[in-house]
Amino acid sequence: MKLGTKGRYAVMALVDLAYYSKGKPLAVTEIAQRQSLPASYLEQLFATLRHKGLIASTRGHQGGYSLAREAETIRISEILEAIGEPIETTRCSKTSDTGCVGTKGTCLTHALWAGLGQQMHQYLNGISLADVCERRLT
Amino acid sequence: MKLGTKGRYAVMALVDLAYYSKGKPLAVTEIAQRQSLPASYLEQLFATLRHKGLIASTRGHQGGYSLAREAETIRISEILEAIGEPIETTRCSKTSDTGCVGTKGTCLTHALWAGLGQQMHQYLNGISLADVCERRLT
DNA sequence: AGCATTCCTGACTAATTTAGTCAAGTATGA
DNA sequence: TCATACTTGACTAAATTAGTCAGGAATGCT
Ligand code: FES
Ligand code: FES
């Protein structure tokens, strides 16, 4: 049950973006250096975040990335889902081929894992980028 | 952010054990069949669960495994930790070589992930095997 | 005693996922 | 025109997961 670098990096980068960008777009290399993340990897992540509409890009000289919306309105749960790091506590939902669906609909532990997933989602959905920036965390 | 089979299988098996064992020990193959889990894999898992003191074994004919303690006193969080599926939302804690510890102690998102981890642990710590058996889940 | 049953252990492996790198191209402003 | 910076896709090394397999050891039943 671990969080991968993809999700962590994405959130770190967006927090950095929200924190240091003053209206102007920031270059990937700048963010990568400041957060000590691999720049080429971050470029990949930013590409998908852009496709998902969380950030906007400006090309050419003085270009870079900026948040597509206000930091207050971007929730952590959104970022993780956009980057492809979803909360998967159950294994039965989608395909059902690898799923643990028994004869009686769901396995004995389904409700447990579903509850855990809901708990996590609730937490991450209640926190915005701005909250992290200003350290408003419980 | 996904739960591996190791953790899920361990909990499923212990729930089965708590649910179907009436004082008598149950064989691994029986549990594996009922929950449709790979038996040889489950044997491995049960070995480590025994070493951690969560279950007890009886060898020979009519042997099998039984809970070492009352189902009411075994928390899900214990099982996951025992089986080696810990909650790892941060990456800085232990070794610090792969950690994302920046110059100023902790990275910008540390508190966020720590909060998530605490949330998860709290949830799983508040639920016992007996709770799952009797479907007392929120 | 002998035999079936069941736990017990360690080594080994195939497949998947993660965590990236790298190279080449495109757009932009100075 | 040139340096800057985004954009894309292909490729890969390493780690982790999810098991299998073979053999051994204890126990109770007949
Ligand atoms: S987790 Fe949904 S059926 Fe097992
Ligand atoms: S998660 Fe602890 S310092 Fe980044």
Side-chain angles (χ1 to χ4, degrees):
Chain A
M1 203 72 200
K2 64 179 63 168
L3 178 67
T5 59
K6 215 165 48 170
R8 190 189 332 272
Y9 289 177
V11 175
M12 285 175 77
L14 290 200
V15 169
D16 183 278
L17 195 49
Y19 194 75
Y20 291 103
S21 165
K22 305 299 180 189
K24 294 296 163 194
L26 296 184
V28 166
T29 57
E30 184 187 337
I31 299 177
Q33 273 192 12
R34 189 160 37 221
Q35 302 297 328
S36 44
L37 309 177
S40 52
Y41 192 30
L42 234 199
E43 263 176 5
Q44 244 187 68
L45 301 182
F46 269 29
T48 81
L49 288 177
R50 185 177 68 89
H51 286 130
K52 299 289 181 177
L54 283 180
I55 53 180
S57 66
T58 314
R59 299 174 77 148
H61 216 90
Q62 304 284 353
Y65 287 96
S66 41
L67 294 179
R69 313 200 311 258
E70 292 296 313
E72 280 80 9
T73 72
I74 299 181
R75 285 179 273 281
I76 307 298
S77 57
E78 277 186 280
I79 302 173
L80 292 180
E81 186 170 351
I83 204 61
E85 184 115 20
I87 308 288
E88 284 181 4
T89 49
T90 60
R91 269 228 180 154
C92 50
S93 45
K94 304 291 175 59
T95 51
S96 89
D97 55 346
T98 43
C100 56
V101 179
T103 50
K104 306 157 193 166
T106 60
C107 73
L108 289 173
T109 55
H110 179 90
L112 170 66
W113 306 127
L116 174 62
Q118 197 174 347
Q119 199 78 192
M120 294 167 67
H121 193 272
Q122 221 165 76
Y123 180 77
L124 294 172
N125 201 48
I127 298 179
S128 72
L129 266 188
D131 291 332
V132 179
C133 284
E134 299 166 27
R135 297 182 184 69
R136 275 186 254 117
L137 296 174
T138 61
Chain B
M1 203 77 201
K2 63 179 61 167
L3 178 67
T5 60
K6 215 165 49 171
R8 190 190 331 273
Y9 290 176
V11 174
M12 285 175 77
L14 290 201
V15 169
D16 184 278
L17 195 48
Y19 195 75
Y20 291 103
S21 166
K22 306 299 180 188
K24 294 295 165 195
L26 297 183
V28 166
T29 56
E30 185 186 337
I31 299 177
Q33 273 191 13
R34 190 162 36 224
Q35 302 296 326
S36 43
L37 309 176
S40 52
Y41 192 30
L42 234 201
E43 263 176 5
Q44 247 187 68
L45 301 183
F46 269 29
T48 81
L49 287 177
R50 185 177 68 88
H51 287 129
K52 298 290 181 174
L54 283 180
I55 55 180
S57 66
T58 314
R59 299 172 76 147
H61 217 90
Q62 306 283 356
Y65 288 96
S66 40
L67 294 180
R69 314 201 309 260
E70 293 295 315
E72 281 81 9
T73 71
I74 300 181
R75 286 180 272 279
I76 306 299
S77 58
E78 275 186 280
I79 302 172
L80 293 179
E81 186 170 351
I83 204 59
E85 183 114 22
I87 308 287
E88 284 181 2
T89 49
T90 59
R91 271 227 179 154
C92 51
S93 45
K94 305 291 174 59
T95 50
S96 88
D97 56 345
T98 44
C100 55
V101 179
T103 50
K104 305 157 194 169
T106 60
C107 72
L108 289 173
T109 56
H110 180 90
L112 171 67
W113 307 126
L116 174 62
Q118 196 173 347
Q119 198 79 191
M120 295 167 67
H121 194 272
Q122 220 165 78
Y123 179 77
L124 295 172
N125 201 49
I127 299 179
S128 74
L129 267 188
D131 291 331
V132 179
C133 285
E134 301 166 25
R135 298 182 184 68
R136 275 186 255 116
L137 296 175
T138 60

